[in-house]
Amino acid sequence: MNAFLHDWVLTLILAVPCVAATLLFLVPAERKGLVRTLGVGSALLTTLLTAWLVFSYDQQAAGFQFMQKLPWVASLGISYQVGVDGMSVAMVLLTTIVFLAGALVSCGIQSRTKDFYILLCALVAGVFGVFVSLDLFFFYFFYELAVVPMYLLIGYWGSTNREYATMKLTLYLTAGAVVALVGLLLMYFTYGHATGHYTFDYLEMKRWVDGGAGFSRATQLSLFPLLLVGFATIAPMWPLHSWSPGGHAAAPAAASMMHAGVLMKLGSYAILRIALPLMPQGAVHWLPWVAVLCCFNIIYGGYVAMNQRDMKFVIGYSSSSHMGYVLLGIASVTVLGTSGAVFLMFAHGIMTALAFALIGYFYDQTHTRMLDDLGGLMQQVPFVGVLFVMMAMASLGLPGFANFASEMMVIVGSWERYPIPTILALFGLVIGATYLLRTVKAAFLGPKNPRWDGLRDAKTPLERSPFVLLVGVLLVCGIYPAPIVSLIETGVAPIVHTVQAAQAAMGG
Amino acid sequence: MDLTSPWLILLLPLASAVLITLFTQRWPRLSAGLSIAAVAGAFAVAASHLGAVLHGENVVLTGHFTWLAAGGHDFHYGYLVDGLSMVMLMVVTGVGGLIHVYATGYMKDDPGYARFFAYMSLFMFSMLGIVLADNLFQIFIHWELVGVSSYLLIGFYYRKDSASAAANKAFLTNRVGDFGFMLGILMLYFATRSATGSAGAGDFQAMAQAVANPAWLHAAVFSVGGGHWTLTNEHFLWIAGALTFMGIMGKSAQFPLHVWLPDAMEGPTPVSALIHAATMVAAGVFLLGRLLFIYMPSPTALSIVAHVGAFTAFFAATIATTQFDIKRVLAFSTLSQLGYMVMAMGLRGTDAAMFHLTTHAFFKALLFLGAGAVIHAVHTNDVREMGGLIRKLPFTGWMFVIATLALCGVPPLSGFWSKDGILHLTEHPPGYAHTWIIMLLPTITAVLTSYYMTRLVLLTFFGPPRDHHRYDHAHEAPLNMTLPMAVLCVLSVIGGPLLLGPEVLEHFRAITRPAGVPEQHYVALDAETALHALVIFGLGAGSALLAFGLRVIDPDKVKAALGPVYRFIDNRWYIDELYAWIVKNVQQNVARLCDAFDRYVIIGTVVNGSAWTTRAAGSVVARFQTGSVRAYALLFLAGVAALLALNL
Amino acid sequence: MGDATTSRLLEVFGTEIGLGALAVLLIVVDLLKGKGRLTGPADAVRLTAFVGLIALLVHAFTLHPAAPGALGTLDAFSIYWKRFFLLTATAVLALSGPYEARLPAGRGEFPALVVFTTMGMCLLASVSDFVTLFVGLEVVTVTTFLLAAWRSALPRSIEAGIKFVIIGALAAAFMVYGIAWIYGATGSFDFAVVRDALARADAAGGPSGALKFGLLLVLVGLGFKIGAVPFHVWIPDVYQGSPTPVTAFLSVGSKAAGVVLLMRFCWDVLGATAQGHEWLLLLAGLSALTLLMGNLGAIPQTDLKRFLGYSGIAHAGFLIMALATHTQDSAGAILFYLLTYLFANIAAFLVVIVVSRTADNAHMDRVNGLAERSPFLAFMLTVSMLSLAGVPPLAGFFAKWMVLRAAVAVPELLPLVILSAVMIVVSLYYYLCIIKRMYMREPIDAGVLEVPGGARLVLLGCAVASVLFGIWQAPLVEAARVGAAALH
Amino acid sequence: MITVQHWLVLSGMVFTLGLCGVMMRRNVILVMMSIEIMLNAANLALVAFNKHLAPVAGAVPPDGQVLVFFTIAVAAAEVAVALVIAMLLFRRLDTVNVDDVANLRW
Amino acid sequence: MEALVFWIAAAAMVGFTLLTIAARNPVYSACFMILSFAATAALFVLLDAYLIAAVEVLVYAGAIMVLFLFVIMLVNLRESEHEGLRLNPLMVLAAGTFLALMSRAVKDLGSAVQEAPNALVGTPGTLADTLFSRYAVPFEAVSGLLLAAILGTVVLARRKEDA
């Protein structure tokens, strides 16, 4: 059994949502209970598999594990190849948790429940695929697959300005994706041209790069920005962020959770997984620009968030602000800073998922998220309120939550590389506290607006479970981050060392 | 686990906080019991090490585990028990415990009783973490946690707008300070990283050793931010010191980051006593003590600290003279006293500062508890609605009077010893602080202190009652409130050499003096010093008595005569207004600008613009398809012609 | 006709002969039925056509490449296309089922004409000289002229017919003229001779003006067929006006026929010349124009069929890009691409037929709120649109991927690759607009839509194929690779 | 002497005239006639080319003339189809003016 | 002699073609076109393509043009609907460019063609041999095409009452 799992666990993790989606097709739409059970059940099953994965990953050995390779389209150099390193394990874990929480939160969805869960499963399958693929074709395949279900999820179940927002989101992300696609294909061609073996096999290319051959400096300098811009769109790096806040705001709870929690991480993950290790010299040349742009993310995003009146827009812009820290950590290419970036991807994923789950919960009842209309909700919905405050505290970087540990890692890690962006990042924490506390106060504290007397708090264990799950993960990883950080470090360190070696070579 | 393990000091309050939050919310009494038991336990564990620390010269207990490690950076979580932290431990757990007991009475009918104790336990955990921390990063962690507990406690009455506003203000002001603090930490950590070897990141002992190494100290240049800047050692030290001091200014409410403390009085009174008088605000002073090895080699850094402290002391005292809210007067008084402590640190008087911190914790907590009892009795904070309460609340009243005397430094109460120790420092300030601010303001502040405290006592407890309704309903507090007050009163009275004897006091000084701080000799109680103290008290108290007790001088006339000066002081030197203006006109406009840029340039022009252009191009292109087949033929032929022209 | 000729004819053109015979049979059956001498199901003609086509399709799967020789070629490439065209014809016939009610007269002749057209298409897959090319092309074109005007009761059908005829005949005239010049410049109609002449000319400093003139005019004629800008002018109008099954046939079969010829043209005629800078630039330019026109033009459309016409132009742009690439990879990509395009387009047109059953037009409003009226149809159209847009896990995605993958190997094409990448985004926009109408709009016609069983089956088949071949691409890629390898 | 160029120019002129006819005439029937003119010009070119081909191995096969046969046959079919559609147009819309059938556009 | 015939026939062909596209009355157009085809037939004879010349007269001038005339009569346009020549500068430009480019092709014919005419190429016999051997496939296809066209035109023309 263990041996079987060892080979197949990643494929199974990938397959569970796919199979769930297929099964859901066959279920009559009226059987909502069955639909929900299937959705949540598949999430639980992936959770079990992921738990096994996390605990079976051998940190001592590090590197890619649970590898599986099947020839797929041999004549085009495509193979189905999956495998995870520490970084991807953390991301798979994140996805699973958000998926489970999202599936639980979505139990409240009444209209077209079946379609909703099908799309959710498809989305999750895409995200899992990106995190486990070691073949550039499948990487891109899943990357695109993850983007498109969002269109309908927002378009049909969404709110504020949903048609505009969802179209913008989908097109924007696809635009980014095709830029990356051009980069990937050129990389494929250049590699094939140089070695005579045309393949999309990531590991083979990586071995080639690590072996001292690698892309020429000119190639790296010209291709790296393609990958960077392409992937940074979804990250989202300023000024390519504008799809995100509107998309967040329009999306239904579970979709925003997946979107902000996981989808946005695909970009930074892709940069780390593909761009950095395969084009270290390009990275050395271009990453300082990322360090500059991420300051805009942090400061500008924060200030824009400060001026928002719609809660989801606040969180939306705050996400783009937080992603600035991730980009800063990546740009720093230090083991500490970059591990911090990955850890922050994880932490922020959980945190925003929580935020959107909570906002979604009361939005379903209030039908407004405007701060001016809310107020004093804490008295009416203490459970949601308390968790919201915890979420805000996590978001503004309070120790005890994973976000603090990861942001600290980023800041300490990038201080020696980019001190001025680091100072701005620190200042960003002040801005973050400003708008988050203001939001908490406007919505939850102060005198109660009698309009909200009828609001119902999350009472049943089922209703509470997603929130508790998410906040629990944040706390556990925040109070004692060493295990997850060392897991992430095993994945990040080789990447960082590759780039650092290139830097040393270029500097010398 | 060993029952005397310092880990327990942290674990007990944490456990209490978690248990109350998760399980015992519904049983307020049980929650309070848990919370008190946790503090008492922590106190006991701390006390079990007291003897060792008191008797050994350099006994320190350490322990740690790796909290987070990546890329060669080891962040530890540990404890460091030495003289300095032992003093703080005793003050925090001791005074804290008393205040917990007091709160069982004060919060009796509050619906958030259990929640209150959960917050208190959380606060104790956070605060003790600062005290025990063995490295800068851990201190930062607890620094933030203390911030959030303070946020929660200030905003305890969350239904009130003003309470949550005050909580936000406190948090944000501290965040501004912490911005500098973290920068300072980064500078210090990376500067000492290579010298500290395998010790955890920012480990105090390792850093102190590294700094003490002359080779380090006299390095030609320090590189900051990975070599982006290089600084000479003098500049490096004062910049790092000043940045770190920003954090201290935030937490210890030093000018100009003091604005949150008066507003923090929105919290329940025990909170004001515990956090905003006795413990949390003292954390900054404690941290200065911890980090004095950084400041010591840099006169500039010390000078900054001393001047900020001295100015804050004076500045807050002036404001206190005009306030009518009983808690606000005490808040400004706290600011003022913290200024003294910070100044003392800046004058290298660690021991004096720590001593004052201790005594101040006693009598200021007592004052707050007394104020709480008064408020509990009359349900108002405004002294103008009080008066003559000594008859209704004799116990509280006299307690309050004794605490006032202690605060004013009347010999031989505890305040006299500690405060005079500090004033003594200012008489012969070291060269870098030889300015009128240091030499003059502390003494003036002492006079002002006597004035506003006497004024407060007179307005509250003496004279005719000004609000008879409130007066009639006033009643003495219950035993669980008065008992802690009594204990604190005793401590306030005998907190000096009377309690410990001169030798112990000397020893106290010794253990709170970090290595490398030159020993300074303090005066003992003699006639001249006592007279000096009494003159100062007499000046202040006398004028207050003339104005508010004997009514010889009409305060309103004085007010009118002083005119703009009075208004300036009454409005707290317009600092809050200045900040409000900055927030409103600078920050808010930057936010609006960014938002507008996002809305109109990025989204409106670039994103929607390109979408619009594409759609418009589509409409234009579709117009080629006119429907006329002859036009199609023409287009076709034109295509052929173009194709041929380009390729033949 | 000698014995050698006859046996060669039978060997290479068995399918076409079968189709011709089938067409005649259909006419006979129709006549018999019309005279009341043949009793049985009303659509005996269609049934016959189905059986015949499927039999031929099965037969086509047993074909083996024949040795090169006179009359025509039967290589793996032509076999691939014969199967493709037979599949298309079967699908179009299936498609016309639900449409039949709207073809009050000439029901019997409709399948016969479709079979004739298919015969022409299959013939084109095997051409090896310009005479057969021209005649085969005209078989396809002239029969589709008729089909376009088939709903002669509708003015727009007639308009489509008239426009199609005029532009088609114009293109044919250019083509013949071009062939004349090629003939004059090389002395032969044979692809092989022309290729040799070109190769010799390339070695001696480039082909003569006459030859280039002729080749370019032939390119115009073929460009007309696949809808390359600026020879696409007929497409939107004719697609909109024609009966929907015919539009589907045009969009898949007729376009594919053009593509087959263009591939023959680029590989068998131009040969290595096509890799030269001049032709590459020419095709790249055509591709760029076509991509722009198709994608941008599709945005403001409100008629489904017209919209699909523009979308077809856009896809032609992609195909021309693959032609410009001119590698074996790109040839395989084209073969794969058109098959995915077949599945997606047939499904799309079938949905159009069903939703516009009660209306006289195919305005996009007809799909508004389709998700409420018929979730099944909405889902099928979604799959089709997304496959056309090139979204994984659908086959259309892999097709685009293959084209782009091949194209990056030619550095000169990089700007075109980037343009096409941008156009992928634009195309996603308008395909999503259709999906938006289905899922986010109120229906204009609240009634529940009945989907006939046959249509259901075809739709399901198309969707399954789109998904299956989007994920498990290997078999189709292999087939396409084998087909492409037969080109020179 | 009449060279092949003469023939080609002649055919080109006629072809262009046919083109002009397609673009200028609004009557569907005349448009089709113009296209016939173009085809005819192409036929002329084919025959002329055939006549002037350099002999490769003795004789010149009459391939060009063969295509002319096919062209004429195809033209006949095209014309038949075009004319029937023109008739439908006339029946349905009472016009044979191509400018009157421009309802499918944009 | 040959040259004279060529010039006369060529002039007739161009002239009648011009008249065809320029005539206001479609009937005239058709008549001019018949004349143009007759001139073409003469030119074919000049090129020794006797069979083609015969087919040109019989099929083109005879059958096809009669069909045209028939339809013109059937449609029977009123006088007012006759239209004349409308010159559009764009059109002239495009046509001119085409002609100019063709003349460039004429100048660069390549080696397969020689200026002077060849010996006899197109006897009906060789033509038939070629047609039925090398071009058997298009021949059969054309028959299919004609059948399809007949079928289709019949269907389209027959339907009158469906609406």
Side-chain angles (χ1 to χ4, degrees), chain B residues 469-602:
Chain B
H469 177 73
R470 292 187 190 281
Y471 178 82
D472 294 342
H473 288 80
H475 54 84
E476 190 58 90
L479 186 64
N480 51 4
M481 284 166 74
T482 50
L483 194 64
M485 285 162 70
V487 175
L488 284 171
C489 178
V490 170
L491 288 170
S492 303
V493 172
I494 61 166
L498 291 184
L499 172 65
L500 304 167
E503 299 79 22
V504 178
L505 187 60
E506 271 310 307
H507 195 77
F508 175 88
R509 287 176 163 168
I511 61 170
T512 53
R513 189 186 308 124
V517 177
E519 192 173 333
Q520 291 176 24
H521 202 70
Y522 297 110
V523 282
L525 173 63
D526 57 30
E528 193 193 339
T529 325
L531 190 66
H532 185 235
L534 280 172
V535 167
I536 289 175
F537 173 70
L539 273 175
S543 46
L545 193 66
L546 288 178
F548 299 99
L550 305 173
R551 300 256 155 213
V552 176
I553 309 168
D554 186 352
D556 290 335
K557 281 194 184 141
V558 178
K559 201 189 283 184
L562 285 172
V565 177
Y566 182 86
R567 271 203 304 284
F568 180 69
I569 294 173
D570 192 28
N571 282 303
R572 298 179 271 172
W573 295 35
Y574 291 107
I575 303 286
D576 287 61
E577 279 73 11
L578 177 70
Y579 289 170
W581 186 87
I582 290 174
V583 165
K584 188 157 169 278
N585 289 295
V586 179
Q587 177 179 279
Q588 208 49 46
N589 279 341
V590 171
R592 270 197 213 108
L593 187 73
C594 288
D595 193 26
F597 185 81
D598 208 63
R599 228 174 266 264
Y600 300 111
V601 178
I602 292 192

Side-chain angles (χ1 to χ4, degrees), chain A residues 349-438:
Chain A
I350 305 278
M351 185 281 288
T352 28
L354 178 60
F356 287 117
L358 290 166
I359 296 177
Y361 185 83
F362 71 77
Y363 177 76
D364 279 347
Q365 302 178 53
T366 60
H367 299 291
T368 177
R369 298 180 305 249
M370 303 310 282
L371 291 177
D372 308 310
D373 299 340
L374 301 171
L377 294 186
M378 184 69 90
Q379 298 165 53
Q380 191 64 34
V381 287
F383 179 79
V384 170
V386 165
L387 280 159
F388 194 88
V389 173
M390 289 176 92
M391 181 287 295
M393 287 299 162
S395 178
L396 57 77
L398 186 77
F401 295 100
N403 302 58
F404 168 79
S406 50
E407 276 167 17
M408 191 186 85
M409 286 169 75
V410 168
I411 283 166
V412 176
S414 43
W415 170 249
E416 292 252 278
R417 300 268 302 132
Y418 302 110
I420 294 175
T422 309
I423 292 173
L424 291 172
L426 270 173
F427 186 65
L429 290 176
V430 180
I431 301 175
T434 311
Y435 61 74
L436 283 163
L437 291 181
R438 197 183 278 192

Side-chain angles (χ1 to χ4, degrees), chain A residues 164 168 172 238 241-242 300 303-304 306-308 317 335-336 378-379 393 396-399 404-405 408-409 411-412 415-417 419-420 423 426-427 429-430 433-434 437-438 441 445-447 478-482 485 489, chain B residues 65-71 73 75 137 140-141 144-145 148 151 158-161 164-165 168 171-172 175-176 179 182-183 186-187 189-190 224-226 228-229 587-588 590-592 594-595 597-599 602-603 607-608:
Chain A
Y164 168 77
K168 182 158 94 174
Y172 217 127
W238 191 89
H241 64 280
S242 89
Y300 172 97
Y303 273 120
V304 179
M306 210 183 273
N307 208 37
Q308 303 304 313
Y317 277 104
V335 174
L336 182 67
M378 184 69 90
Q379 298 165 53
M393 287 299 162
L396 57 77
L398 186 77
F404 168 79
M408 191 186 85
M409 286 169 75
I411 283 166
V412 176
W415 170 249
E416 292 252 278
R417 300 268 302 132
I420 294 175
I423 292 173
L426 270 173
F427 186 65
L429 290 176
V430 180
T434 311
L437 291 181
R438 197 183 278 192
K441 176 174 181 305
L445 308 179
I479 289 172
Y480 188 50
V485 168
E489 192 190 1
Chain B
F65 62 92
T66 299
W67 179 66
L68 183 163
H73 299 260
F75 297 98
F137 290 96
F140 187 82
I141 289 172
E144 293 288 312
L145 286 176
V148 81
Y151 167 84
Y158 61 83
R159 290 171 176 79
K160 274 166 67 186
D161 244 340
S164 54
N168 281 4
F171 199 98
L172 291 176
R175 259 288 152 110
V176 173
F179 164 69
M182 190 71 201
L183 274 180
L186 286 174
M187 282 177 75
Y189 170 49
F190 280 102
V224 176
H228 286 76
W229 301 291
Q587 177 179 279
Q588 208 49 46
V590 171
R592 270 197 213 108
C594 288
D595 193 26
F597 185 81
D598 208 63
R599 228 174 266 264
I602 292 192
I603 297 177
V607 177
N608 291 354

